[in-house]
Amino acid sequence: TEHRVRQINIATGVVTTVAGNGIAGFANATGVSAQFNAPTDVVINNAGNILIVADQYNRQVRQIVLATGEVTTFAGNTTSPGYADGAFNAARFGDITGICTDTLNMFYAVDR
């Protein structure tokens, strides 16, 4: 995989990279300075200004602020697989393969 989150502009047909530099790794940073390790799914929040990304092999849920391209960890605290319920920074995931949201802006992650 290319380890990037990309945007496809339907009106112009132009594809651009929103975040990720194409190298598998982990880095919270801005735009192409950020790193992902096999992002598998993405969903946008109800306000339309933040992307939530399932970052499979980093075992974290990441967020991208669309206005700035800033990538940060939304949930999960380690790149090592595990299981723990808890606060955003205390939760652990094993293998995140999908993510979605509901009308209340709650997010759901599939942890395989």
Side-chain angles (χ1 to χ4, degrees), residues 5-98:
V5 174
R6 302 177 78 196
Q7 176 189 67
I8 303 164
N9 185 315
I10 294 172
T12 64
V14 176
V15 178
T16 56
T17 298
V18 174
N21 63 11
I23 300 168
F26 177 83
N28 283 326
T30 300
V32 296
S33 296
Q35 287 184 303
F36 297 93
N37 193 350
T40 56
D41 202 1
V42 63
V43 66
I44 196 160
N45 70 341
N46 289 346
N49 59 353
I50 295 176
L51 289 177
I52 304 295
V53 181
D55 194 358
Q56 184 176 20
Y57 295 134
N58 278 326
R59 284 129 180 127
Q60 295 184 18
V61 177
R62 315 278 292 286
Q63 69 178 13
I64 304 170
V65 177
L66 289 175
T68 63
E70 179 184 4
V71 177
T72 56
T73 300
F74 184 72
N77 69 357
T78 179
T79 58
S80 299
Y83 168 82
D85 286 338
F88 293 123
N89 60 353
R92 291 188 68 188
F93 298 93
D95 194 8
I96 305 167
T97 58

Side-chain angles (χ1 to χ4, degrees), residues 95-108:
D95 194 8
I96 305 167
T97 58
I99 196 159
C100 70
T101 188
D102 65 16
T103 58
L104 300 176
N105 220 30
M106 299 291 290
F107 297 94
Y108 301 87

